[in-house]
Structures are given as C-alpha cells and as structure tokens.
DNA sequence: TTCAGATGCGCAAACGTTTGCGTTACTTAT
DNA sequence: ATAAGTAACGCAAACGTTTGCGCATCTGAA
C-alpha cells in the first residue's frame, strides 16, 4: 500500500502536523527533527497525495492548455511546439504539470472544478464558447495568438497584419503583379488580419485592379494543395502566392510539383510562421518569422504573475514579425 | 464563490448525500427528486470539486502521457500526433483529461501521488528510469513504440525490423549496391532493429562486402542534413540512403538540394514512418508506413481495460509495417 | 390486520492533507 | 527569582466529496 503521512508520523513517534511542516519547509520544527523526517520520507518513498493536498490548499500545481481545435490540430501544428517550448522555459522548473484540453467541455471542467491553477488558450476563433465565462470569473488565464483585441483578458499575440503586409509588399516589389492569397478561415482573427494586409498592400501598389484573389481554407497542407490547384486551373494564373501559414505553403509546393511547375522559376511563394521545416523545403521557404518561442515565454510569465495574484493589470503584448527571405521568391519580369 | 454540494442541498432542503447520489445516477433517490436536483445543479452551475472527489474515490479521471524526451521532442514529432489521434479516438468521449509529463520527476509524481489513473509511455530508451518502479507497482500503463520486449508490461509496437528490412530490400532490388543507413541513436530499440535489418538485408544481397555504412544520430531533420553531408563528402558515395525516420529523410532532401543533387536521379532515399508530410515533399517520399493511429487506438483500449482491472493478462501487440513506394527511389544502373 | 421487504432519505465517517490554536519547555531580560 | 517572550510540538478542525448504515415510510402478500 501507498505510504501516507500518518505512517511516517507513527514510525517516528511524532504527529502528522509536524511531518507536514517539516516536509513543506514550514517553521515550527527543529532542524534536528526535520532532518530525521526528511530522511524517513525519502527512505519510505513518501509522496503527498495530490487530491488531499489540492483540497485543502485550493491549488493544484498544474496549468491547463486549451486548444479548442482538437488534439490533432494541436499536435500537427508546429506553432504549438514552438510556443510550448517557450512556455516550458519558464514553467518547467516550477514543477507544474500540463493538462491538455481540446473540447469546450474539458475546458469548462478544468477551471470550474479546481483542476488547474491557470490556463493558456490557443488558436481561439470567433464563436469559441466559454471564453466569456472565464473572463468574468477572473480565473488566471492568457490568450496566445491573434484574437479579438477587445476581449478583456491578458493576451500575447504576433503582429500578423504587419507580417502579411511585409510579405505582399515584398512580392510586389519583386515585380509581381498577380498575387494570390491562400488564407485561413475567416473565423480566425489571424486570417482577417492577413486579408486586410493583403488588400492594403495591393491597393498601395495599385495592383488591385489587375488581379486580386484571396481564398479561405484551413491552416493545413491539404488546403494549400487544393487551393493552389484551383488557382492553377484558372485561365488567369497568379505569378506569386502568399500563404497564411507555412503548412499551406507546403501544399502549394506539392501542387506545383505535381504540375511540373518549378519554384520559384514558374511560381513564387511566401509562407507565414517560419516553422522549423521551412528551411528544409526545396527550395527553402521565404516566409514571415513569428517569434513563437518568445511569445510562449511571455505568456507563461504573465500567467504565473496572474496566478500569484500580484499583477492584476491587463497585460497585452504585441510581438513583431519580420520577413525572412530565402529561395522561394524570384524577381518577376514580363 | 464557487457553489458546493451543500449549497445545493440547503437550497433544496435535502441532504448532501441525496444530492450526490442524484448527480451520480446512484440508486436510492426518487425520480421526482432527482429531476429537481439535476435541474437545480444546472441552474446554479454546480460542478464537483475534483480534489475532494479524487480523494474519496481513489480515481482521478485523467490519464498520463509520458515522453521522457522533453516537450519539444513530443510536439515536433508527427509520430505522437498520429498516435495521440488514435488514443483520443477511444479516450475522448470517456471524459478523461490528458496530463503531459516529459521529465522523470513529473512522471514519478504522476503515478505516485494519485494524479492519473493510467499512463501511456512513449519513446522509451535504454536507461530511462522509473520504468521498473512502475512495473513492480502494477500501475495501469502501456508502452507504445519499440522497446525492450523482455520488460513485463503491456506494449504495442510496430514491426520496425520488418519495415527496415523491406526498405533496404527494395533498394537492393532496384539495383543499388551502395546503400547507407542514417540511423537513430542506438539507445533506441527502434534504431537497433533498423540496424539489424539493414545488415541482414545487405548480407542476403551480398552487398556488405561492397559497401556498408550505418551511422547513428538523432530522429530529427538536423541530423539528416548533417549525416547526409558527411556521406556526400566521402570519396565513396552511396547511391541510396535509408533513413530510420521521415524527419531524417527531410534532412537528406535538404542536403541534396544544397549540393545540387537531384532526388531520385542522383540519389535515392527511403524514409520510415510515413508521416503526413511524406506525400508533400518533392519528390514524394518512398517510406515505410507505420500504423501509428491504429497503434494509439490499441494502446488506449488496452489501457482502459487495465484501469478497469478486468484484463490482467500481459498484452503485447505487434503491428505490421509496409513499404509504400512513391517517387524518391529510382532504378540504379551502372 | 400484520409483517417482511422495498424504497427514499439523512447522519456521520472517511479519504489524506494542511493549519489555527493551545500547551509545554526553554530562553532572555528585568 | 520572576515575568515575558519564543521555540517546538500535538490536537483537532477543515477542505468538499462519497458511501455504509440506520431509520422511517410505503408497498403488497399472507
């Protein structure tokens, strides 16, 4: 059977209170006795039951990661890998555990049943439920990624608008006149930022009369393949494609290859995100870098402050994005 | 403040026991009263505190995912995405939460402090600690992926040996005489299976006297790039490279591209895993398909049986792998 | 009409911790 | 020498549930 605090107490001829205090570095126990208790705990392999501990301390020692898009979406999107990396940079040696929730139900349960001390929310979209409830409850939580800026909650997000603006500007400055946008779903705030930036850049370069084509899909390679195929099938083909996401760009790569189109000779493409794989594509992908790890780091820091209850100011951080040019765009001449 | 069971009881003029029974569909409460209680619980937004519940029921409603390789390793390896997909197919509507642990410390805490009801372990390698402890304790747990077969614990794994055997055979049958292996670390059981299969195939085709080169690295694209570069720098170059992992293959693609080598014209490559991205590479990757989702499904099923305590038989499942040929290998002629 | 068995419900103990408070023994200042 | 203070420890309550048991009340069969 598992060894409990009372077993320890009995074997040492002391009380549970003293054992508890000793193990928690609380005052009120002599150094001599504390040492004995610690040793005995080690020897007998004692570890405090979490349920009991949570019950009395009103704190759980784990933080929730909410991604209302399903487990697969999380795991197959390098964005999370990177952001989580930053999060774990600050959280890991604080001894927290991560608990994952991908459905509104799980999410609700998390913060309503004292399952976690704080929540980091990803990939929120228009109409995702239970955000408001969280907001009102004052539960420690942070949003990471583009989301409704009017929502009254700490958030750290990338400047998606500037990123896409720089990307399309680059394409235009390289001489491209017919630039298409393979976008994400418009329920995503990132997608609307991308769309706005795309339009503005086109207008500023007086290209919108020549060609304007923005189509919405999902943030996955499958959509890039499908969307690019559709684009290629039209009589009036673009010479460059901007993608809202590196995964979409991968799909474009595939579509081009299947049709014998060379990148960047026949078609230029720029991605978004600068996922680790961007540099492994052939040709390597020109894309806009999003400081995902740094964002994760910041989000985690904000969250721990929230959990400590120290900072109750609404923290909003905006991270710069920047175009990194590699091999997938060429200068376009008539 | 959060509404507790006693608030519900008071507001209905009944007792906590009855409320508890009503909400848990336990017998001993009239349908009429049960309906009233359920309604009131709904209205007041009652949800049972997990800590208290766990404490008395000795069960937590969440399952642990242990990957002793660090958070980044998990999140950036499509293997997990796929396996988790299978797991969630069976687990998700059972209402469990996932709790992630990537360090031995977290892992130990998980099953020693009643934090989870069961554990699924990934990517185990030689020398990973705390496995034995788990084994002895009889804690419900499953291993997924190649691991020491002599360990006395339920496990579901792919037939990595046959997979690599088929891959190298294919290369040999396509006329390649100089075949290299870019392997994973030898602390991984998968790597040693790959190495054995590679050697056997070479011997059977009487190729081992001509050329034999197996080098160990990590299961990441960086290693594929580095390893391939090293291979290309030698005077006696291979005409084909077998990789222990699709990510490694991506690295090889990159190395080839940087050097102006065409795949498969100048160099053939076969991967392992059949990650979703394999089909998006240009050219698409010939690789060994591993039924990851199916494995996850099976692992989860075994785990829930273990947790129910029904099946105490040691369950070992071996999943077939199969070569899927695409575009990255060509017939080799002198 | 009576009695055995259901049925519906409440009391209180239990789960394994933490912690406020009281008690004792010991120190230090007066 | 006495008072006041402090340090070390134990008692017992509390955290919010679930559940064994006992007590009524009600049912239907003898």
């Amino acid at each position: 059977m598992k060894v409990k605090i009372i077993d320890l107490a009995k074997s040492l001829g002391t009380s549970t209170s003293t054992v508890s205090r000793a193990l928690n570095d609380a005052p009120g126990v002599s150094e001599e006795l504390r040492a004995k208790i610690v040793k005995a705990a080690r020897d007998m392999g004692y570890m405090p039951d979490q349920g009991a501990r949570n019950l009395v301390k009103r704190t759980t020692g784990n933080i929730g990661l909410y991604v209302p898009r399903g487990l697969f979406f999380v795991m197959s999107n390098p964005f999370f890998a990177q952001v989580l990396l930053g999060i774990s940079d600050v959280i890991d040696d604080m001894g927290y555990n991560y608990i994952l929730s991908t459905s509104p139900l799980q999410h609700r349960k998390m913060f309503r049943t004292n399952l976690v001390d704080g929540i980091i929310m990803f990939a929120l979209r228009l109409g995702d439920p239970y955000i408001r409830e969280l907001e009102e409850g004052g539960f420690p939580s942070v949003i990471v990624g583009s989301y409704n800026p009017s929502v009254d909650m700490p958030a750290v997000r990338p400047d998606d608008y500037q990123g896409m603006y720089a990307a399309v500007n680059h394409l235009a400055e390289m001489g491209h006149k017919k630039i298409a946008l393979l976008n994400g779903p418009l329920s995503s705030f990132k997608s609307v930022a991308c769309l706005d930036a795309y339009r503005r850049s086109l207008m500023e370069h007086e290209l919108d009369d020549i060609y304007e084509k923005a189509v919405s899909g999902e943030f996955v390679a499958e959509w890039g393949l499908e969307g690019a195929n559709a684009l290629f099938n039209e009589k009036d083909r673009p010479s460059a494609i901007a993608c809202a996401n590196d995964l979409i760009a991968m799909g474009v790569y595939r579509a081009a290859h299947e049709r014998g189109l060379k990148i960047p000779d026949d078609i230029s493409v720029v991605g978004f995100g600068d996922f680790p794989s961007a540099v492994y594509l052939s040709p390597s992908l020109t894309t806009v870098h999003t400081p995902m790890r740094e964002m994760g780091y910041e989000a985690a820091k904000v969250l721990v402050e929230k959990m400590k209850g120290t900072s109750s100011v609404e923290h909003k951080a905006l991270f710069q994005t920047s175009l990194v040019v590699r091999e997938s765009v060429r200068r376009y001449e008539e």
Side-chain angles (χ1 to χ4, degrees), chain A:
Chain A
M1 214 46 257
K2 214 153 283 194
V3 34
K4 316 182 272 187
I5 211 175
I6 194 170
D7 300 324
L8 261 185
K10 276 181 184 162
S11 94
L12 288 176
T14 178
S15 74
T16 63
S17 358
T18 307
V19 174
S20 174
R21 278 188 261 261
L23 263 25
N24 290 327
D25 287 320
V29 34
S30 67
E31 279 314 315
E32 183 188 15
L33 181 52
R34 182 192 303 273
K36 274 211 294 223
I37 291 180
V38 169
K39 179 176 185 319
R42 214 181 248 312
D43 291 346
M44 306 180 54
Y46 168 77
M47 297 194 86
D49 179 279
Q50 278 301 322
R53 184 178 249 249
N54 296 352
L55 183 53
V56 42
K57 299 201 71 165
R58 318 271 29 155
T59 174
T60 67
N62 35 32
I63 76 139
L65 306 174
Y66 178 42
V67 192
R69 308 259 82 80
L71 196 52
F72 185 67
F73 186 89
V74 199
M75 298 295 298
S76 60
N77 194 326
F79 180 86
F80 299 101
Q82 296 296 121
V83 174
L84 277 183
L85 201 54
I87 293 179
S88 68
D89 280 341
V90 5
I91 295 286
D92 267 8
D93 27 54
M94 307 185 61
Y96 281 100
N97 285 93
Y98 301 101
I99 144 165
L100 226 62
S101 77
T102 57
S103 77
L105 219 75
Q106 285 179 311
H107 172 55
R108 192 159 200 258
K109 188 177 166 193
M110 273 210 304
F111 76 91
R112 294 288 305 278
T113 69
N114 297 317
L115 211 54
V116 296
D117 298 337
I119 294 183
I120 300 183
M121 311 170 72
F122 297 85
L124 261 30
R125 293 194 187 161
L126 215 59
D128 279 337
Y130 297 114
I131 315 296
R132 180 144 223 60
E133 193 175 355
L134 239 184
E135 188 181 344
E136 289 163 355
F139 194 89
S141 43
V142 188
I143 296 176
V144 21
S146 279
Y147 190 61
N148 190 347
S150 77
V151 91
D152 196 26
M153 209 176 282
V156 0
R157 57 198 184 86
D159 196 337
D160 288 326
Y161 182 90
Q162 281 301 328
M164 182 52 81
Y165 184 60
V168 181
N169 279 350
H170 179 245
L171 257 16
E173 283 154 15
M174 293 292 275
H176 289 276
K177 309 248 175 277
K178 299 195 283 185
I179 305 172
L181 171 64
L182 250 33
N183 206 0
L186 288 176
S187 55
S188 152
F189 279 79
K190 169 173 180 178
S191 297
V192 334
C194 285
L195 182 56
D196 289 350
Y198 168 76
R199 283 193 179 141
R200 169 153 162 242
S201 177
L202 249 44
M203 281 185 50
E204 291 184 359
H205 291 88
E206 299 177 352
L207 257 30
D208 50 330
D209 285 338
I210 305 180
Y211 185 93
E212 172 168 351
K213 190 135 195 99
V215 273
S216 295
E218 274 296 332
F219 286 119
V220 295
E222 284 79 3
W223 160 237
L225 174 56
E226 178 191 333
N229 269 331
L231 252 29
F232 293 157
N233 279 336
E234 296 180 359
K235 43 266 153 240
D236 198 21
R237 280 194 201 169
S239 71
I241 302 182
C243 305
N245 181 303
D246 282 0
L247 294 177
I248 298 179
M250 279 192 65
V252 176
Y253 269 55
R254 181 67 201 166
H257 178 261
E258 283 179 357
R259 216 166 265 256
L261 265 33
K262 290 290 168 219
I263 299 175
D265 306 313
D266 301 319
I267 177 90
S268 290
V269 13
V270 22
F272 203 118
D274 196 16
F275 296 161
S277 59
V279 76
Y280 282 95
L281 295 180
S282 312
S284 60
L285 181 65
T286 290
T287 188
V288 358
H289 178 79
T290 305
M292 302 171 276
R293 184 166 183 168
E294 290 82 356
M295 287 170 48
Y297 189 88
E298 177 74 12
K301 275 206 325 188
V302 173
L303 186 67
V304 307
E305 279 191 8
K306 273 286 180 193
M307 294 191 302
K308 280 184 194 161
T310 59
S311 118
S312 70
V313 294
E314 290 311 324
H315 186 104
K316 304 261 186 190
L318 184 66
F319 278 73
Q320 285 308 105
T321 55
S322 63
L323 185 75
V324 13
V325 351
R326 291 198 263 255
E327 306 172 337
S328 62
V329 173
R330 72 146 195 169
R331 180 163 296 284
Y332 184 79
E333 288 126 10
E334 220 67 29

